Amino acid sequence: MSYLELSVLGAGNMGRALIGGLLRCGMRPEQIAVGESQEAARATLSRELGIAATTDNAAAIRKANLVVLAVKPQDAGTVLAPLAAELQQRRTVVLSVAAGVRIQALQSWCGASVPVIRAMPNRPALVGAGATGLFAPPQVDASHRAMAAQVMQSVGQVVWVATEEALDVVTALSGSGPAYFFLLAEAMTRAGVDLGLPEETARRLSIATLHGAGLLAQSGEGDLARLRAEVTSKGGTTEAALRTLQAGGFDDLIARAVETATRRGRELAAQFGGAGR
C-alpha cells in the first residue's frame, strides 16, 4: 500500500469499516487520525480497532494527505466549511462517502483548489465485500485518484464512472442492491415454508444460496448468462421456475425498481440542496 496519512471524519459504520479494511491491508494505526463528535463512537473505535479519535476535526486533518468524509449527508457542510483554509493550504484530497452530496457542494465548502472525489460504497463493505463507484472531476489528477481507489479497495471492489450523474445509478444498483437480494431471499424463505419446510431450514437454505451464488458469480469471470445456463437444465426445475419469473415480467420489474431508485436519489439530492440519501 502506497504511503498515506489518512484522516477519517466520522466513525460510524462506514468510517469504521474503512479503517478496519485499511488496517487489514497493512496501514499502521499511527497513519490514521479520526475526527468524531460522539463519545460512544470514539470508544467503539478504540475498543475494536485500537484507534484514538478526537472531537477536534482540525487536529484530525492536520497531517493528512487524504481526508475521508464519512458523516451524514446533512452534516457535510457543517463539518467541511471550518476546515477549508487548512484543506486549501495543503491541497488535501477530500474523498466523500456522504451519499448524494454533489461535487459542487463539496467544492463550495472546501475551496476550488481542493481535489474532491466522490465514492458510493455499499453495506457489504462492512464485511470487506463491498462494491464502490468512484467519480472525480477532470481536474483531479491520476495520483489523487489512485489514493482514493486505494482506500476504497480495502473494503471491496471499485469501479470508476465517467459522470457524476452515473453515481446516482450506482446508488440505485449496488448501493441499494443488497436490499433487493435480501428481499428475494426473504421471498424464497416464505415460499419454502408455504411448501412445507421448517422456517429455520428455509432461511438457512436461502441465505446459503444467496452467498454461494455470489461466490460463483465472482469466480465466473462476470459471465452471468453462462452461469445461469449452466444451472438451468433443459426441461428441469430451474427452467420451469425461470419461465414463471419471466412470464411475470421479472426483467421489467427490476428495471423499473432501479430506475425508480435512481430518480428518487436525484430528487433527494435536489431537496437537500446537494445532500440527499
Side-chain angles (χ1 to χ4, degrees):
M1 175 168 285
S2 63
Y3 191 77
L4 278 175
E5 286 286 351
L6 186 73
S7 174
V8 179
L9 302 181
N13 286 334
M14 190 56 65
R16 288 200 307 275
L18 288 170
I19 293 166
L22 288 163
L23 292 174
R24 289 191 299 272
C25 289
M27 201 167 184
R28 300 189 306 277
E30 58 267 26
Q31 290 176 257
I32 304 173
V34 178
E36 170 55 54
S37 62
Q38 299 296 318
E39 182 179 355
R42 295 196 303 273
T44 299
L45 195 63
S46 176
R47 182 178 65 252
E48 294 182 357
L49 298 175
I51 297 284
T54 177
T55 58
D56 186 348
N57 288 335
I61 72 165
R62 197 155 290 146
K63 296 181 180 179
N65 53 14
L66 188 143
V67 172
V68 176
L69 181 69
V71 299
K72 294 178 180 178
Q74 60 268 30
D75 296 332
T78 303
V79 169
L80 283 178
L83 307 175
E86 178 76 14
L87 293 171
Q88 291 173 51
Q89 180 181 349
R90 304 185 67 241
R91 292 199 76 244
T92 307
V93 180
V94 172
L95 172 62
S96 173
V97 298
V101 184
R102 302 302 202 221
I103 292 286
Q104 183 178 4
L106 294 164
Q107 209 80 69
S108 72
W109 298 321
C110 296
S113 64
V114 176
V116 173
I117 300 171
R118 282 187 61 196
M120 183 60 229
N122 63 3
R123 196 166 181 80
L126 302 182
V127 293
T132 297
L134 285 164
F135 170 75
Q139 64 268 27
V140 175
D141 67 33
S143 64
H144 294 155
R145 292 168 187 253
M147 290 168 63
Q150 178 180 331
V151 170
M152 300 313 302
Q153 283 168 345
S154 72
V155 291
Q157 298 190 32
V158 304
V159 297
W160 287 94
V161 295
T163 67
E164 188 169 18
E165 289 72 22
L167 277 185
D168 296 321
V169 184
V170 171
T171 302
L173 185 65
S174 57
S176 300
Y180 312 157
F181 289 102
F182 297 150
L183 179 64
L184 176 60
E186 286 182 84
M188 290 170 59
T189 298
R190 287 194 299 270
V193 171
D194 289 345
L195 290 168
L197 287 178
E199 184 174 356
E200 179 60 19
T201 299
R203 183 185 301 110
R204 287 181 62 188
L205 288 171
S206 296
I207 291 171
T209 301
L210 179 68
H211 177 66
L215 292 177
L216 277 175
Q218 287 284 3
S219 66
E221 299 180 351
D223 191 346
L224 299 177
R226 177 179 61 79
L227 288 169
R228 174 172 53 80
E230 287 175 352
V231 78
T232 308
S233 301
K234 187 173 178 58
T237 58
T238 306
E239 184 182 64
L242 292 180
R243 189 180 299 118
T244 299
L245 289 172
Q246 290 163 348
F250 183 79
D251 288 354
D252 180 62
L253 184 63
I254 297 301
R256 285 191 287 119
V258 175
E259 180 183 2
T260 301
T262 301
R263 184 169 60 249
R264 182 56 178 158
R266 289 171 178 164
E267 290 170 353
L268 288 171
Q271 177 182 338
F272 292 105
R277 185 176 178 83

